[in-house]
């Protein structure tokens, strides 16, 4: 084989690899989409009215939570160069109570079905 033959062969092999990678990428995308369809297939269906009720329940729970209560935050104070106290960092630490309020509101919208032995 000559140098030109080898260069042509390399070029051809690189093209084949690119095409196969493109095919593999398409199959990966299709696999990902099919897995998502399977996940979506097992989800319970809700009517638009039920979805709106859930949205309202979450909104009410969040609106009832007292974000102004300073006990819900952890605040780190420091002194600046002028000797003034400043907030160095603050963190919302009462997220479990907020989540609990939201879950309770949403759970009130549904009745729980009994689990059979097959469902466990």
């Amino acid at each position: 084989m000559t140098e030109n033959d080898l260069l042509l062969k390399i070029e051809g092999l690189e093209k084949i690899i690119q095409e196969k990678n493109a095919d593999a990428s398409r199959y990966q995308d299709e696999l990902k989409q099919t897995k998502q369809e399977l996940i979506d297939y097992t989800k319970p269906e809700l009517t638009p009215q039920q979805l709106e009720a859930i949205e309202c329940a979450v909104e009410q729970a969040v609106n009832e939570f007292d974000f102004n209560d300073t006990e819900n935050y952890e605040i780190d104070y420091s002194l600046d160069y002028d000797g003034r106290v400043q907030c160095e960092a603050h963190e919302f630490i009462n997220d479990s109570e907020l989540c609990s309020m939201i879950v309770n509101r949403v759970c009130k919208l549904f009745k729980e079905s009994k689990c059979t032995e097959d469902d466990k």
Side-chain angles (χ1 to χ4, degrees), residues 75-79 85-89:
I75 303 171
D76 294 330
Y77 296 101
S78 66
L79 291 175
V85 176
Q86 67 180 10
C87 174
E88 186 73 28

Side-chain angles (χ1 to χ4, degrees), residues 32-43:
K32 183 178 177 182
Q33 181 181 351
T34 305
K35 284 181 177 180
Q36 185 60 48
E37 287 174 9
L38 178 62
I39 290 169
D40 291 344
Y41 182 79
T42 59
K43 290 180 182 178

Side-chain angles (χ1 to χ4, degrees), residues 13-27:
L13 290 171
E14 286 175 343
K15 251 186 201 179
I16 291 170
I17 289 171
Q18 287 175 351
E19 290 171 4
K20 296 298 179 186
N21 285 340
D23 288 342
S25 177
R26 281 194 296 274
Y27 287 128

Side-chain angles (χ1 to χ4, degrees), residues 24-84:
S25 177
R26 281 194 296 274
Y27 287 128
Q28 285 284 41
D29 292 343
E30 187 176 342
L31 175 63
K32 183 178 177 182
Q33 181 181 351
T34 305
K35 284 181 177 180
Q36 185 60 48
E37 287 174 9
L38 178 62
I39 290 169
D40 291 344
Y41 182 79
T42 59
K43 290 180 182 178
E45 291 186 16
L46 298 174
T47 66
Q49 293 83 7
Q50 291 169 322
L51 287 172
E52 187 176 327
I54 291 171
E55 183 179 334
C56 287
V58 171
E59 189 175 314
Q60 286 176 351
V62 170
N63 287 339
E64 289 176 4
F65 189 80
D66 186 10
F67 286 97
N68 292 324
D69 183 2
T70 56
E71 296 298 317
N72 293 326
Y73 302 92
E74 186 173 287
I75 303 171
D76 294 330
Y77 296 101
S78 66
L79 291 175
D80 67 7
Y81 292 110
D82 297 332
R84 294 180 295 192

